[in-house]
Amino acid sequence: MANKTKADWLALAKKIKIDGRAFINGRSTDALSGETRPNFSPGDGRELGPVAYCGTEDAEGAIKIARETFESGVWSEMAPSDRKMIMVRWAELIEKHQDELAILECLDVGKPIDNTLNIDVSAAIRTIRWSGEAIDKVYDEIPPTPANSLALVQRLPLGVVAAIVPWNFPLSTTAWKLAPALATGNSVILKPATNTPLTAIRIAQLGNEAGLPDGVLHVLPGSGASLGKYLSTHMDIDGLTFTGSTPVGQLLMQYSGQSNLKRTFLELGGKSPNIVFADANLESAAAMAAVAVFYNGGQTCTAGTRLIVEEKVRDKFIDMVIANAKGWMPNDPLDPATTMGPMIDKAQFNTVAEYVDIGKKEGAELVFGGKRCLEKSGGYYHEPTIFAGVNNQMRIAQEEIFGPVLSVLTFKDAAEAVAIANDSIYGLAGAVWSRNINTAHKVAKAVRVGTMGINNYFGGDMTVPFGGFKQSGNGRDKSMHAFNDYTELKTTWIEFE
Ligand code: NAD
């Protein structure tokens, strides 16, 4: 509900039930070994409770059940219009539990409550509802074959899909995977990130309540290196869908090649360019330059971490971005006024601090932030941080920091802006700001990324595909295009006598 105060959220948070059990075959369950791991809240470092630590024996059982359920047809051969009704009911249940899920995500990830409620939970609702509603409107093809023949080209589910997701957007990336995978009739085993499993577990329980048959969806918390690898190398997993870092994505491609060539779709890292021309609406551009990098503490794959500004407005524009950065000082995630929370954990904070040191050593000019703050809270909070005088060869311009650190570069003309933007191993997102329609379109077209904004950043919704070029990945989440990642094309050729 809207307009809750910090006191309201704190009171609700105290009452919340934390369930860290796995969800296998329609039931909440401990790991077979009984092993758990403590789960800490990034906001204040306190322990939220134990989380099941599933191993390969849990995975083996879940894969077997998922396979049997797929083969039984109880879900895979259910009429799309019936699958639709269950998914829509599921979205409604998530909506009914939106405050609970917003708090779970806030406590588990340290994201501001306003974000978890209005962005993460609402994205999950929209994604599941949209994919469910779409699935009985998808037609197969009859190609233009010779008159004495008829061909049917159908999309069939892959079978058993493993989904592995990261800690920075646990709920929305879970929904981006589950919704199209389930809508198209697959069985799914989801492995959340080790430290952020709570909302994935909860929405699986709600899916079951909505009518997902037992055995269709399993959530197994556990380690990436063992459980994640086991799923990715398993011979009876047909599809692998992943959101996470580029190095792990590279491993998953190898695992697929070394096992059964399971269809493998990856959504990976980024170092996204945000290009600002002197003729842009500089006020909007400066406000959004701050949103682009500081939203979610910069722990965002599409973060606009390279601000590439036309040289003649550099100083003025940097001052404007600094003024906006002041609105992004971190605070308690359960306060609805908070714009930025903590880093997910000490290790991530240390990575950010290391890159701040690297930036200084490389000769970039630290013009804002750069330090830890709110130390007494028990969380690892980092100030919004801006480096000017960056060139694109510096590590702070090339490497994904995954923290609130902005690198400001300059350009003289459009060709140079595009060259800098494209000089990256990544190609996930970006934006260009200009009032000249020709400049804006030409630059947007030339930058090699999956999503490009013109006079906005983070634009898009469920109706458009999301994914990367280059080492930012190969799959596409969202929209009807996501269905391609979870289906095989099957041709049936009929000859008439
Ligand atoms: P990560 O790659 O470390 O982990 C992601 C998931 O992979 C986790 O569940 C982890 O347990 C698992 N994993 C780790 N090693 C594995 C292995 N050997 N085999 C199988 N699974 C393994 O990423 P992270 O630190 O959780 O998330 C941050 C990264 O995710 C950043 O690089 C960010 O850019 C990226 N990301 C991309 C998108 C996108 O849509 N492109 C969205 C969000 C985050």
Side-chain angles (χ1 to χ4, degrees), residues 394-413:
M394 291 180 182
R395 287 181 62 192
I396 58 166
Q398 286 293 330
E399 297 173 18
E400 188 181 47
I401 300 172
F402 232 51
V405 182
L406 180 64
S407 297
V408 187
L409 302 92
T410 55
F411 67 89
K412 287 200 179 65
D413 57 26

Side-chain angles (χ1 to χ4, degrees), residues 114-192:
D114 182 64
N115 290 180
T116 60
L117 182 68
N118 296 311
I119 299 175
D120 303 271
V121 177
S122 62
I125 296 166
R126 171 116 167 103
T127 304
I128 292 171
R129 181 178 284 143
W130 194 95
S131 305
E133 284 175 344
I135 200 62
D136 67 347
K137 287 137 195 110
V138 182
Y139 288 69
D140 289 326
E141 296 167 26
I142 297 185
T145 54
N148 66 337
S149 59
L150 176 69
L152 313 176
V153 179
Q154 290 173 287
R155 286 214 164 265
L156 302 181
L158 293 178
V160 179
V161 170
I164 300 179
V165 294
W167 51 259
N168 64 333
F169 285 87
L171 180 56
S172 47
T173 53
T174 291
W176 285 1
K177 307 300 189 195
L178 295 187
L182 292 170
T184 46
N186 297 281
S187 296
V188 183
I189 296 168
L190 179 104
K191 194 201 84 63

Side-chain angles (χ1 to χ4, degrees), residues 163-169 173 176-177 191-196 222-232 240 242-249 251-252 255 266-271 298-303 344 348 400 402 426 428 466-468 472-473 477:
I164 300 179
V165 294
W167 51 259
N168 64 333
F169 285 87
T173 53
W176 285 1
K177 307 300 189 195
K191 194 201 84 63
T194 320
N195 45 358
T196 58
S223 124
S226 67
L227 176 63
K229 181 174 180 184
Y230 187 78
L231 293 169
S232 316
L240 178 60
F242 174 77
T243 297
S245 62
T246 296
V248 174
L251 282 178
L252 298 195
Y255 296 160
L266 311 170
E267 304 290 348
L268 308 174
K271 193 75 191 177
Q299 303 169 120
T300 305
C301 50
T302 48
I344 186 80
Q348 190 59 31
E400 188 181 47
F402 232 51
Y426 296 111
L428 190 55
F466 174 81
S472 290
D477 287 325

Side-chain angles (χ1 to χ4, degrees), residues 9 99 102-103 106 111-118 333-336 338:
W9 286 115
D99 286 353
I103 290 172
C106 173
K111 278 172 186 263
I113 189 77
D114 182 64
N115 290 180
T116 60
L117 182 68
N118 296 311
L334 273 170
D335 185 337
T338 295

Side-chain angles (χ1 to χ4, degrees), residues 186-256:
N186 297 281
S187 296
V188 183
I189 296 168
L190 179 104
K191 194 201 84 63
T194 320
N195 45 358
T196 58
L198 297 181
T199 46
I201 292 169
R202 188 67 187 113
I203 69 163
Q205 295 167 346
L206 294 174
N208 203 246
E209 208 178 310
L212 278 181
D214 291 353
V216 172
L217 171 61
H218 312 262
V219 177
L220 275 66
S223 124
S226 67
L227 176 63
K229 181 174 180 184
Y230 187 78
L231 293 169
S232 316
T233 51
H234 201 284
M235 296 299 284
D236 206 25
I237 296 278
D238 305 294
L240 178 60
T241 176
F242 174 77
T243 297
S245 62
T246 296
V248 174
Q250 288 170 327
L251 282 178
L252 298 195
M253 282 294 211
Q254 293 174 32
Y255 296 160
S256 165

